[in-house]
Amino acid sequence: MSSIVTRFAPSPTGYLHIGNLRTALFNYLIARQQGGTFVLRLDDTDQDRSKQEYIDAIQFDLEWLGLTWDRIEQQSKRLDRYHDAAEKLRADGRFYECFETPTELDLKRKKQLNMGRPPVYDRAALALDDGARERLRAERAGYWRFLLNQTRIEWEDGILGPLSIDAASVSDPVLIRADGQVLYTLASVVDDTDMGITHVVRGSDHVTNTATQIQIIEALGGHVPSFAHHSLLTGPQGEALSKRLGVLSLRDLREQGVTPNALLSLMARLGSSQPVDLRLSLDEIAEGFDLSQFGAAPTKFDAEDLWPLTRGDLQARPYDAVASTIRALGVPDDLAPQFWDVARENIDKLDDLGAWWALCRDGATPVIADEDRDFIAQAMALLPPPPYGPTAWKDWTEAVKSATGRKGKGLFMPLRLALTGQARGPDMGALMPLLQRVPAREA
């Protein structure tokens, strides 16, 4: 096994969305490319918002996509470990208690901004003596900040290249809230250290977090992993995406009929210098995946781009892969493989098969132009009842051509519309043997 260990750490406070998928997929692929370990870590320290239904949904979504994990961890089961880490930071003088209320902090920020200064916490709590701390503890619960060394923090980012942040321009991060809840920054660092995480890929909105986390990791004696920050997704017009929009939920995309291969193929290349094309397995998707090919600019995501990929994925499936779906429609076993071959080129999603079988089973409502009524009546008189053989369409159209003198589009299109009610669809020679009933003939 490779020494590479990656993790995907969603918060089970909602359903996975397209942005989560990008992070999960990148971490999965770099682990799988090297035969490494992929950890699913549930960031569920917020017990008020974390729910089992979301934990179950996260696992279902990842399994549906084939992004299987090597092990699963839950932060809610590791709270003692986080408090041990906090005690070490206190003992080392890197953790200090603060008492400002949100309103007081907001007033400080506004004053700093009005003076043209960055809104950085002023470390006023460090100036408190023991008596002042005791008086404040009697009035309110304190919260805890990590004391940053005000030096320049530098690292080589796997996507963004060399990065440098002056720690003096960043507020000392709050690691434990006044209600005792351990916050993401501390829990994530402790987990990454304890679990041997070697590579962390996440959104570019975490760059500042990374700077502070590097110092916390070092303060705890851990090994700093390799970081890479991918660009954030926007809508097709560059607008901000909201995970509250249903179109971005993996659950909703699945229900709309998008396939896993379509999603993964798009998200593994979107925003990179490589073209987006359909790949039919995770092995194919992993082949050539390279973080260095991705750029820093916001990446436009358009859900409409998923449909050509979904169509291609469905059309590439052998009959055995869809046999259960077709059987559930009631298609007779002797017709089912032929039905798939005919319908596969004319569906956007698997659910579209139902409409095509309904047409074959029940017939369609004929579409007949006024000027074609006599022609169709004459043509239907020449059409025998079902069942139809493989040459039925050819035999019938030749008979109609001989009887009416029509040819080309003037012959074939009115007959297609009469039998299917649609101007487009499968090759009529292949479709006709599947027709169980022809209402136009009965009219």
Side-chain angles (χ1 to χ4, degrees):
M1 288 289 286
S2 164
S3 59
I4 285 182
V5 184
T6 67
R7 46 79 163 177
F8 173 51
S11 176
T13 57
Y15 297 105
L16 291 186
H17 53 82
I18 201 73
N20 300 138
L21 169 58
R22 200 165 191 232
T23 300
L25 179 59
F26 285 13
N27 283 286
Y28 175 90
L29 290 176
I30 62 174
R32 285 296 179 263
Q33 280 181 326
Q34 302 297 322
T37 300
F38 176 62
V39 179
L40 172 60
R41 193 170 76 210
L42 298 166
D43 179 1
D44 61 345
T45 55
D46 187 342
Q47 292 296 289
D48 291 335
R49 298 176 61 222
S50 297
K51 296 182 179 179
Q52 185 62 44
E53 67 179 284
Y54 296 134
I55 292 175
D56 295 342
I58 287 168
Q59 294 183 67
F60 186 90
D61 282 343
L62 293 178
E63 288 172 342
W64 172 65
L65 291 165
L67 304 183
T68 53
W69 50 92
D70 297 296
R71 74 174 193 263
I72 187 169
E73 304 280 355
Q74 273 185 260
Q75 290 187 334
S76 60
K77 297 178 180 178
R78 293 174 46 79
L79 298 180
D80 288 345
R81 180 69 189 92
Y82 307 142
H83 289 295
D84 288 345
E87 284 303 318
K88 173 176 171 50
L89 294 176
R90 286 190 190 94
D92 293 345
R94 301 299 297 276
F95 220 21
Y96 64 101
E97 191 174 12
C98 303
F99 300 92
E100 292 93 346
T101 66
T103 299
E104 290 168 344
L105 290 173
D106 187 53
L107 287 173
K108 285 187 178 187
R109 282 191 291 267
K110 288 178 178 176
K111 183 177 179 180
Q112 289 169 319
L113 290 170
N114 287 337
M115 297 173 66
R117 297 176 181 173
V120 175
Y121 178 62
D122 60 8
R123 294 182 165 179
L126 287 174
L128 297 173
D129 59 27
D130 290 342
R133 288 193 187 91
E134 287 301 324
R135 288 191 295 274
L136 285 167
R137 286 189 189 116
E139 299 174 3
R140 64 187 73 167
Y143 60 94
W144 293 82
R145 291 182 185 266
F146 176 75
L147 183 64
L148 288 167
N149 289 328
Q150 293 187 333
T151 58
R152 186 161 289 279
I153 305 167
E154 300 178 343
W155 72 96
E156 183 71 25
D157 194 273
I159 294 175
L160 302 178
L163 289 181
S164 174
I165 291 180
D166 183 359
S169 68
V170 181
S171 292
D172 292 338
V174 176
L175 301 189
I176 298 180
R177 291 194 331 194
D179 62 3
Q181 182 184 329
V182 175
L183 295 183
Y184 164 83
T185 305
L186 177 60
S188 180
V189 163
V190 172
D191 287 346
D192 287 347
T193 300
D194 289 356
M195 297 173 191
I197 303 300
T198 62
H199 292 71
V200 175
V201 185
R202 55 189 180 184
S204 58
D205 53 336
H206 284 283
V207 166
T208 301
N209 285 342
T210 294
T212 58
Q213 285 179 340
I214 287 173
Q215 280 206 13
I216 301 170
I217 291 169
E218 292 171 341
L220 292 173
H223 175 75
V224 178
S226 297
F227 287 98
H229 295 84
H230 59 70
S231 61
L232 300 182
L233 296 178
T234 72
Q237 307 305 318
E239 71 274 21
L241 288 184
S242 169
K243 66 181 181 181
R244 294 184 297 274
L245 297 178
V247 71
L248 303 181
S249 157
L250 301 191
R251 181 179 69 157
D252 287 347
L253 288 171
R254 178 171 59 248
E255 290 175 355
Q256 290 168 31
V258 172
T259 65
N261 284 337
L263 266 173
L264 297 173
S265 295
L266 179 64
M267 300 314 296
R269 298 295 186 269
L270 188 68
S272 78
S273 58
Q274 298 176 318
V276 173
D277 53 14
L278 176 65
R279 302 190 177 214
L280 299 178
S281 70
L282 273 165
D283 285 341
E284 290 183 16
I285 289 167
E287 186 178 349
F289 177 80
D290 184 353
L291 285 178
S292 69
Q293 300 292 310
F294 288 82
T299 300
K300 294 181 179 180
F301 167 76
D302 188 345
E304 291 302 311
D305 292 337
L306 292 166
W307 293 113
L309 296 168
T310 292
R311 282 193 293 273
D313 182 30
L314 293 175
Q315 290 168 10
R317 294 186 184 184
Y319 167 71
D320 288 346
V322 297
S324 60
T325 300
I326 292 176
R327 189 172 296 115
L329 295 175
V331 181
D333 288 344
D334 60 326
L335 292 179
Q338 183 183 358
F339 172 73
W340 174 239
D341 285 342
V342 169
R344 69 199 300 172
E345 301 291 332
N346 294 275
I347 57 173
D348 292 322
K349 52 187 182 293
L350 212 53
D351 285 349
D352 292 346
L353 288 173
W356 284 112
W357 177 241
L359 183 150
C360 294
R361 182 190 62 222
D362 306 327
T365 300
V367 174
I368 303 171
D370 289 341
E371 63 270 21
D372 290 327
R373 292 198 178 279
D374 291 342
F375 166 70
I376 293 299
Q378 189 175 1
M380 289 301 165
L382 296 171
L383 178 65
Y388 298 117
T391 65
W393 173 254
K394 179 176 180 292
D395 295 341
W396 181 44
T397 54
E398 286 182 352
V400 173
K401 179 180 178 181
S402 297
T404 65
R406 286 212 188 189
K407 57 184 178 180
K409 187 175 182 180
L411 169 69
F412 297 115
M413 183 56 70
L415 296 182
R416 171 184 283 278
L417 289 168
L419 290 190
T420 70
Q422 300 180 41
R424 297 179 181 178
D427 175 79
M428 289 300 298
L431 177 63
M432 201 157 174
L434 294 169
L435 300 180
Q436 312 290 295
R437 185 164 176 254
V438 182
R441 183 182 177 278
E442 302 164 9

